[in-house]
Amino acid sequence: MRVPFRVGFEQRGETPRRLSLLVPLASVFAALFFGALFLVATGHSPIDTYSNMFQDGFASFNGITDTLALSTVLICTGISAAFAFQMNLYNIGGEGQLYLGLIGGAWAGIALGDHLPTLLMVPVVLLCGALAGAAWIFVPAFVRSRLGTSEIVSTLLLTYIGASLIKHVIYTPGSFFRNPNTSFPQGRLVADSASLDSFGSSRLYPTFFLALIIAVALYWVVKRTEFGYRINVIADSPKAAHYAGINANRTTIWVMLISGALSGLAGAMLIVGPYGKIEPSIITLGYGYAGIVVAALARNNLGLIIVSGILFSGLRVGGNNLQVTTDTPIHIGVMLQGAILLFALGGEAFRRYRIHVVRVHDVSTKKVAV
Amino acid sequence: MSNTSHEVAQRSHHTSGATSTALSAHSIDKKFPGVLANDSVDFDVRAGEVHTLLGENGAGKSTLAAVLCGLYQPDAGYLTRNGKRINLSSPRVGLQHGIAMVHQHFRLVERFTVSENVILGSRDLPFRLNRSDINEKVAAIAESYGLPIDPDATVGDLSVGQRQRVEIVKALYQGAEILLLDEPTAVLVPSEVEKLFENVHAMTAAGKSIVFISHKLGEVVEISDRVTVLRNGRVTGHVSGRGTANTKELARLMVGRDIELNAQRATHATGHEVLQIRNLSLVVNEVSMLSDISFSVHAGEMVGIAGVAGNGQRELSDTIAGLISPTSGSVTISGSMTTDRGPIKAREVGLAYVPEDRLGMGLVPSMSILDNLLLTRDRQLVVDRVSVRPEAARLIEQFEIKANGPDHLARKLSGGNAQKVLLARELSGGRGATKLLVVCSPTRGLDVGAIETVRRLLNDARSAGQAILLISEDLDEVLSLSDRVLVLYRGAIVHETPGETAQLSQVGAAMAGLASEGPS
Ligand SMILES: Nc1ncnc2c1ncn2[C@@H]1O[C@H](COP(=O)(O)OP(=O)(O)OP(=O)(O)O)[C@@H](O)[C@H]1O
Ligand SMILES: [Mg+2]
């Protein structure tokens, strides 16, 4: 097969600053355009669909509160991913750590019963969830820092085990976490003192503000503290870290534990918030994996996670509501989310490389893209 | 640096093969945030000549070279190739026009063979590679320019000089007519420099053009047909005709004043022992890197370690700095045993250390100058940048670092300015007062003005009673500064002599492994 031209990638000597902003925006638009093609092909109006999505995701009371509610979880799993990624530690098992957060939080919520007041109980539940998430990543963190074993594989494998664990504690008769009063397998509700109230008629819980505070606090930690300084040195130059006497092994373990704790916290937030129990359907929702997308959209910049978390949640809420409000299949929403991720990652190529189309019979090159 | 006149005489019988202009740059502007790195620069190179770019650190030499090869696009101005206007949108387009750059930091794949590296990135390879054909072609190119090299050797096993040769062969294989060499000699030992210059002559004789960048004025006088001097991004001087310049003149053109790089030695009686090394040995993967080294450095004394690169210098300095645990033996710094105690301990008892590898080890490239100054300091739980900022500004001024201020990122500094940041940090004291200063190739990549400053600072430190261990491949530097000179060969000290009476020939012979006298 002969093609008259060929596409060439050239590494850029420098990335123009305007591209850093342009590329994410263009990625979202390209994804929307891509989705529009599918909508047209399946006989839907893209304009109506998108305006419905926007309406349901951002522009109505229920829409925006649902979006912020979802973003509570996704901001946590997003910083969990970004915090590790920025140090080149690829914890892609946030999903599994979130399951464990659910289990840890539910355990505290049930076992500690009504012994503590809400003001104490909720923090204890959240803490237990975070600890459970951290515990779930401890072994990957340890072998990574000591033996260099890939954390990508180990954290992912543990996610599958985590999913089995969720099923086990719910479907096993007589399980501590299973509701003893119904024959239908369900999670056992946590104590009242471990449940927060949502705001008014919305499904938004005060944990949203906790997520914001954590995002800001972690940003501050990375920018301003000694711990953050170490992270930055190791991320950029392990040799310089060694030279300066910075213990990379210890920092690696800590960063991974914190990353795991954040995903675990996301799970526990579901316990004190909307769920109140272990909801086995969690293993189909992929909130942990969505955190990876949120981190990628923010290019692992902790300062941008709040924005990308809310945007992505809105897209998801709007997409999910499509099926309710119109006859558009839910998969359109899911597909759009995937498309945005692909375009966002693909857009990186434009930031790092200059793209040419070269005519094969002609030495001269024509620049067609930025 | 004083033997240039006979070199000039020797060179002058060479006929200048330069004729037509091969590549020219017309009023090039290149801006970076806060600096105009090139300010309407006119530059041209003819076929068959060596045209040298000279200038202080941060003058814009590397930037101009990057524009000439297509790595950077100029903000204004244009290039012409053989009189025709060209637009180099990338280095690959540059290559299509026969322009190639050999970077100071090589871009070779260590696990690949020489041939594999040479053909890497070529577009017109057949689907099935015929290795013996390629090997033959690579060997033929290498041979014709006097660059003998084994096409099947693994690059990871080659010395720095040989790797540079691979880069040059690669450029020639890709059809380069114009080669840009950015500080090629900074990483070479004298014998390798000689070899490189022979290659350069072979290439110019074949009609190729060389753009050469170096801070070593003796070399510049020796190799250049023409010299263009840059200062603050602008062309401020020309010298044309081989042998018409001497090093003093060039220095004056560059920095606008006379430079004195005279030998200076301790005027102080040396004090107590600060660094004590006893029977130090290091074996890595069953290869002996250091064998039974013992010596000491006293307060107010500068001990120089001479030797060809790769004879254990890096291992020795890293061991003293606590980065490597020796197999046997001990390191004691001002009375405290620091063997196996790590770099922080060594610094706490008074060590400051300028490593060989500045951007790889000594500095964190993506961090600011300010943050880099904090690297070897005591940092509080919440890093206090506010109180360090004035000091950073002061050091930038004192060391004449060309930067937009303390927030300038290290990787965006010119090569010499990065080195100055590293020196500024280590010479200005860190955790506690510096008692021992270990400096490796401190003036590499610095312009003559900066070299003068650094040498003065080293002398000041010595006068202030610090013990200094100077490890350098620059024999001139070691001989002219040190109170005592030790020669390191294959991990052992094979020669020791007082600096004042050191004989160049004896030290040179010892460096080559022909020591007549063991360590005393
Ligand atoms: N990518 C960059 N971003 C911002 N500033 C830069 C960048 N590259 C170079 N500069 C600045 O441009 C100026 C010229 O740099 P350049 O590297 O060309 O100097 P040079 O003459 O090669 O110096 P040296 O002898 O130290 O290598 C310097 O002030 C430097 O700080
Ligand atoms: Mg340079």
Side-chain angles (χ1 to χ4, degrees):
Chain A
M1 191 181 65
R2 280 192 74 84
V3 251
F5 61 87
R6 169 169 81 185
V7 180
F9 288 82
E10 302 290 352
Q11 196 150 16
R12 288 179 189 276
E14 52 195 320
T15 301
R17 191 169 290 187
R18 66 193 156 89
L19 284 185
S20 302
L21 197 72
L22 205 69
V23 165
L25 283 178
S27 304
V28 172
F29 277 105
L32 291 178
F33 179 74
F34 179 75
L37 293 182
F38 269 80
L39 286 170
V40 170
T42 52
H44 298 89
S45 153
I47 307 233
D48 288 352
T49 309
Y50 286 154
S51 67
N52 274 329
M53 269 177 74
F54 181 73
Q55 190 73 27
D56 293 339
F58 295 103
S60 62
F61 175 77
N62 280 340
I64 187 69
T65 51
D66 278 359
T67 292
L68 296 183
L70 177 59
S71 75
T72 308
V73 179
L74 296 194
I75 287 172
C76 286
T77 53
I79 26 184
S80 161
F83 188 63
F85 288 0
Q86 59 163 359
M87 215 177 111
N88 303 319
L89 294 169
Y90 293 98
N91 170 23
I92 58 168
E95 183 75 24
Q97 293 135 29
L98 179 136
Y99 301 158
L100 265 289
L102 226 59
I103 293 175
W107 175 81
I110 297 166
L112 303 182
D114 283 313
H115 303 309
L116 298 170
T118 301
L119 216 57
L120 223 66
M121 191 64 187
V122 169
V124 167
V125 170
L126 293 177
L127 190 70
C128 283
L131 287 176
W136 206 236
I137 204 177
F138 180 75
V139 171
F142 190 79
V143 294
R144 159 68 207 231
S145 85
R146 288 300 139 93
L147 309 170
T149 314
S150 164
E151 72 285 2
I152 302 181
V153 177
S154 57
T155 54
L156 185 64
L157 287 179
L158 279 173
T159 297
Y160 296 120
I161 299 176
S164 309
L165 206 59
I166 290 273
K167 286 188 218 155
H168 176 77
V169 300
I170 294 301
Y171 296 118
T172 310
S175 153
F176 175 77
F177 294 96
R178 178 168 168 164
N179 189 336
N181 304 325
T182 58
S183 54
F184 183 72
Q186 274 187 9
R188 190 203 287 203
L189 280 175
V190 297
D192 276 347
S193 61
S195 293
L196 292 170
D197 291 329
S198 63
F199 293 116
S201 65
S202 74
R203 281 177 281 194
L204 179 63
Y205 288 83
T207 44
F208 174 67
F209 295 103
L210 181 60
L212 294 187
I213 290 170
I214 288 175
V216 173
L218 223 56
Y219 179 80
W220 180 82
V221 165
V222 171
K223 289 281 174 211
R224 290 272 180 273
T225 66
E226 160 71 8
F227 182 61
Y229 184 90
R230 284 165 187 249
I231 290 176
N232 288 322
V233 174
I234 297 168
D236 192 43
S237 174
K239 259 201 211 157
H242 177 59
Y243 163 78
I246 293 173
N247 188 330
N249 283 347
R250 207 183 313 158
T251 312
T252 296
I253 292 191
W254 274 113
V255 166
M256 288 184 75
L257 288 181
I258 290 172
S259 172
L262 286 165
S263 282
L265 181 70
M269 282 178 167
L270 291 169
I271 295 289
V272 301
Y275 289 3
K277 61 187 175 191
I278 295 176
E279 190 74 75
S281 65
I282 185 76
I283 62 176
T284 64
L285 295 174
Y287 289 161
Y289 294 126
I292 298 173
V293 182
V294 168
L297 280 176
R299 257 184 278 116
N300 300 338
N301 183 336
L302 291 176
L304 292 178
I305 293 284
I306 294 175
V307 179
S308 72
I310 291 175
L311 273 182
F312 191 74
S313 300
L315 203 68
R316 195 156 160 162
V317 168
N320 290 350
N321 281 342
L322 275 184
Q323 200 166 23
V324 185
T325 51
T326 68
D327 62 339
T328 322
I330 189 168
H331 301 114
I332 290 287
V334 176
M335 189 205 67
L336 271 180
Q337 291 158 24
I340 287 183
L341 175 63
L342 280 178
F343 279 94
L345 295 180
E348 276 296 285
F350 287 88
R351 286 200 329 118
R352 295 214 195 119
Y353 298 93
R354 201 187 315 280
I355 297 181
H356 300 277
V357 173
V358 188
R359 292 198 191 286
V360 165
H361 300 293
D362 184 4
V363 248
S364 76
T365 59
K366 299 208 165 50
K367 228 165 80 177
V368 293
V370 276
Chain B
M1 299 229 164
S2 56
N3 56 347
T4 48
S5 53
H6 92 267
E7 284 164 357
V8 171
Q10 200 181 28
R11 294 246 48 81
S12 57
H13 69 264
H14 271 253
T15 51
S16 164
T19 46
S20 62
T21 299
L23 174 70
S24 36
H26 304 270
S27 35
I28 297 288
D29 278 3
K30 181 68 194 173
K31 277 190 215 93
F32 290 115
V35 279
L36 195 49
N38 283 166
D39 185 355
S40 43
V41 172
D42 289 313
F43 181 80
D44 64 88
V45 59
R46 301 179 193 134
E49 78 165 347
V50 179
H51 193 162
T52 295
L53 274 172
L54 194 64
E56 291 173 283
N57 294 125
K61 305 177 295 293
S62 297
T63 304
L64 181 61
V67 168
L68 291 175
C69 76
L71 192 63
Y72 288 162
Q73 277 68 51
D75 296 314
Y78 60 95
L79 305 176
T80 56
R81 176 89 170 89
N82 295 329
K84 279 205 332 216
R85 199 167 160 156
I86 54 169
N87 177 19
L88 303 183
S89 50
S90 74
R92 189 179 297 281
V93 180
L95 256 183
Q96 285 166 352
H97 289 284
I99 306 162
M101 178 148 169
V102 175
H103 294 271
Q104 189 176 332
H105 299 279
F106 305 140
R107 302 177 170 194
L108 299 171
V109 185
E110 299 209 344
R111 282 184 306 124
F112 283 13
T113 66
V114 170
S115 290
E116 285 165 345
N117 268 289
V118 167
I119 60 170
L120 200 69
S122 297
R123 277 288 162 86
D124 306 311
L125 292 174
F127 182 67
R128 271 191 63 145
L129 291 177
N130 185 336
R131 259 169 209 281
S132 58
D133 273 6
I134 291 168
N135 279 357
E136 244 168 60
K137 194 170 169 202
V138 169
I141 289 176
E143 207 59 54
S144 61
Y145 295 101
L147 299 150
I149 198 141
D150 173 11
D152 282 323
T154 306
V155 164
D157 299 336
L158 300 180
S159 73
V160 179
Q162 287 169 316
R163 288 182 201 204
Q164 188 173 67
R165 207 173 281 179
V166 177
E167 286 273 15
I168 295 174
V169 169
K170 177 170 182 162
L172 294 170
Y173 180 90
Q174 290 168 326
E177 289 295 318
I178 298 165
L179 270 102
L180 312 170
L181 308 177
D182 192 356
E183 297 193 39
T185 57
V187 291
L188 300 183
V189 298
S191 62
E192 288 173 320
V193 173
E194 250 167 61
K195 196 83 193 94
L196 173 72
F197 283 5
E198 284 171 25
N199 308 149
V200 166
H201 289 311
M203 291 189 283
T204 49
K208 304 203 183 281
S209 319
I210 308 287
V211 176
F212 181 73
I213 300 176
S214 173
H215 288 292
K216 299 182 182 165
L217 300 177
E219 291 174 5
V220 171
V221 169
E222 182 184 348
I223 195 87
S224 320
D225 293 301
R226 283 195 290 158
V227 178
T228 290
V229 181
L230 282 180
R231 200 164 173 199
N232 290 327
R234 230 169 298 162
V235 175
T236 56
H238 286 289
V239 182
S240 45
R242 199 187 276 272
T244 48
N246 64 45
T247 51
K248 263 212 152 66
E249 251 180 65
L250 289 177
R252 204 175 313 122
L253 269 177
M254 257 171 79
V255 296
R257 63 188 166 88
D258 280 320
I259 298 288
E260 284 304 328
L261 293 178
N262 282 342
Q264 278 187 338
R265 269 174 246 282
T267 47
H268 292 240
T270 50
H272 60 280
E273 212 172 50
V274 176
L275 172 68
Q276 187 191 62
I277 292 181
R278 286 286 166 268
N279 307 103
L280 200 64
S281 292
L282 176 70
V283 180
V284 181
N285 295 333
E286 295 176 21
V287 179
S288 168
M289 306 303 286
L290 297 175
S291 53
D292 200 26
I293 291 183
S294 300
F295 68 92
S296 43
V297 185
H298 297 79
E301 182 188 35
M302 183 163 349
V303 171
I305 303 256
V308 176
N311 276 289
Q313 288 93 332
R314 183 176 292 220
E315 287 77 11
L316 176 61
S317 57
D318 278 0
T319 307
I320 295 171
L323 304 180
I324 299 179
S325 295
T327 312
S328 63
S330 68
V331 178
T332 309
I333 300 173
S334 43
S336 312
M337 175 95 133
T338 58
T339 335
D340 280 336
R341 305 282 299 274
I344 303 241
K345 171 69 182 171
R347 284 185 181 273
E348 273 167 2
V349 297
L351 170 91
Y353 175 34
V354 176
E356 180 86 49
D357 184 4
R358 59 189 171 214
L359 272 185
M361 187 190 245
L363 297 174
V364 185
S366 69
M367 281 188 170
S368 65
I369 294 179
L370 181 73
D371 276 9
N372 270 295
L373 289 177
L374 289 166
L375 187 64
T376 55
R377 305 268 168 105
D378 255 329
R379 294 175 301 266
Q380 274 80 46
L381 216 56
V382 175
V383 177
D384 177 14
R385 292 181 173 86
V386 178
S387 70
V388 187
R389 187 169 284 275
E391 194 199 343
R394 186 179 59 73
L395 289 173
I396 287 173
E397 196 163 321
Q398 184 190 351
F399 282 79
E400 296 173 0
I401 298 168
K402 287 225 171 74
N404 294 335
D407 295 319
H408 199 109
L409 299 185
R411 83 180 135 78
K412 292 191 171 174
L413 289 167
S414 79
N417 283 303
Q419 176 75 352
K420 288 184 191 173
V421 172
L422 178 52
L423 286 163
R425 182 183 71 210
E426 296 304 312
L427 290 177
S428 63
R431 300 172 192 262
T434 302
K435 300 206 175 77
L436 171 68
L437 192 55
V438 178
V439 283
C440 301
S441 307
T443 58
R444 185 164 77 194
L446 296 187
D447 64 50
V448 280
I451 291 176
E452 191 188 41
T453 310
V454 168
R455 290 190 180 173
R456 196 190 65 236
L457 284 165
L458 287 177
N459 275 318
D460 290 352
R462 166 167 58 186
S463 308
Q466 295 181 13
I468 303 179
L469 184 66
L470 168 69
I471 302 178
S472 175
E473 291 150 43
D474 185 342
L475 196 51
D476 276 347
E477 183 162 274
V478 172
L479 292 184
S480 62
L481 292 177
S482 312
D483 304 316
R484 236 172 349 127
V485 178
L486 310 178
V487 178
L488 200 57
Y489 176 73
R490 297 217 171 137
I493 289 173
V494 294
H495 185 71
E496 174 171 352
T497 168
E500 208 131 19
T501 58
Q503 299 284 313
L504 190 71
S505 57
Q506 264 183 14
V507 174
M511 284 168 65
L514 309 166
S516 52
E517 162 203 338
S520 41

